[in-house]
Amino acid sequence: LHCGQIQGFFHSAPVDNLSALRDMAPFIVREIVPSYKEDPICIVSPDAGGVARAKMFLDCLVSNMKVANIGLAITVKHRSGPGEIEGMNIVGDVDGKHCIIVDDMIDTAGTLCAAASELLKMGARSVSACATHGLFNGPAYERIEKSVLTHVVVSDTTPLRAGAPSKIRVVSCAELIAEAIYCINHGQSVSGLFKVSSESPVPGRDVIKKE
């Protein structure tokens, strides 16, 4: 869901907002974080509304995957119109750190690329991004290819168009959705689907594979 509060609009049945972070966080720790070596990391929220999401991602890395030397920052945008950024400020210390921008979706990537450039101006060593939904509309591919972004990690909730830049990495959430369907149909708790670890073990996964 774009906004977790939407769960409250479903009155006839309980609704749980599944998070792709369960599979994306281990991927980033396994594939990207090792290249940072001992350098500090900063998780960046692209706006004030995404702070809770960025904080949850940070907590996953620190508590569940034991990633050390990591902080949090926020970008504050000043818009001149839809999709147009007039100015941007950074709240938090990003100097000398590898930044990972955490968002729910990427549309035309204009804001994302502008934020990445601003973070580098503020002294960041590198900037990568992760988002649940990679829409990549309009000039998104071209913008990402020309941007300072090192990696852009998205889930497969939206199929990529042809010609995606090599910077874009896709993490499948098929098992997450399959496990949710299995648990619901077998009367099992879905609480395990919200736990994140380096391997993301979830009750029922072996059962699903066997069947």
Side-chain angles (χ1 to χ4, degrees):
L1 297 175
H2 179 61
C3 178
Q5 290 90 328
I6 294 176
Q7 295 176 79
F9 286 89
F10 294 87
H11 302 292
S12 59
V15 173
D16 286 299
N17 183 23
L18 298 177
S19 174
L21 292 181
R22 191 209 68 168
D23 293 313
M24 296 178 75
F27 177 86
I28 289 173
V29 169
R30 184 175 64 251
E31 301 292 333
I32 297 176
V33 170
S35 65
Y36 299 160
K37 298 181 180 179
E38 300 300 320
D39 296 335
I41 303 170
C42 186
I43 304 303
V44 181
S45 170
D47 50 46
V51 172
R53 183 187 306 108
K55 180 66 165 56
M56 181 174 67
F57 187 80
L58 184 149
D59 290 341
C60 287
L61 299 186
V62 173
S63 302
N64 300 341
M65 279 165 274
K66 312 304 179 185
V67 177
N69 203 5
I70 186 168
L72 182 68
I74 308 165
T75 64
V76 180
K77 299 182 289 289
H78 310 289
R79 294 186 182 274
S80 57
E84 299 292 331
I85 305 299
E86 183 177 13
M88 185 176 297
N89 298 107
I90 308 296
V91 179
D93 181 20
V94 300
D95 188 27
K97 300 180 180 181
H98 295 283
C99 294
I100 302 175
I101 301 173
V102 179
D103 207 349
D104 59 343
M105 65 179 179
I106 301 172
D107 187 6
T108 60
T111 302
L112 175 64
C113 293
S117 296
E118 192 64 28
L119 288 168
L120 276 191
K121 291 178 184 178
M122 296 292 289
R125 288 176 178 265
S126 71
V127 184
S128 294
C130 73
T132 301
H133 310 292
L135 306 181
F136 301 119
N137 291 318
Y141 280 177
E142 183 180 359
R143 285 174 172 173
I144 290 173
E145 183 63 43
K146 294 180 178 179
S147 74
V148 299
L149 289 162
T150 305
H151 304 283
V152 177
V153 182
V154 296
S155 76
D156 59 351
T157 56
T158 303
L160 292 183
R161 293 184 287 109
S166 59
K167 293 181 180 183
I168 297 177
R169 312 283 297 275
V170 179
V171 178
S172 176
C173 59
E175 282 197 9
L176 172 65
I177 296 172
E179 288 156 5
I181 293 172
Y182 180 91
C183 290
I184 292 171
N185 280 279
H186 288 77
Q188 297 180 8
S189 171
V190 298
S191 61
L193 301 176
F194 301 96
K195 297 177 182 178
V196 181
S197 71
S198 58
E199 298 297 331
S200 289
V202 175
R205 173 172 292 183
D206 292 337
V207 176
I208 295 173
K209 289 182 177 179
K210 289 177 182 178
E211 293 185 354

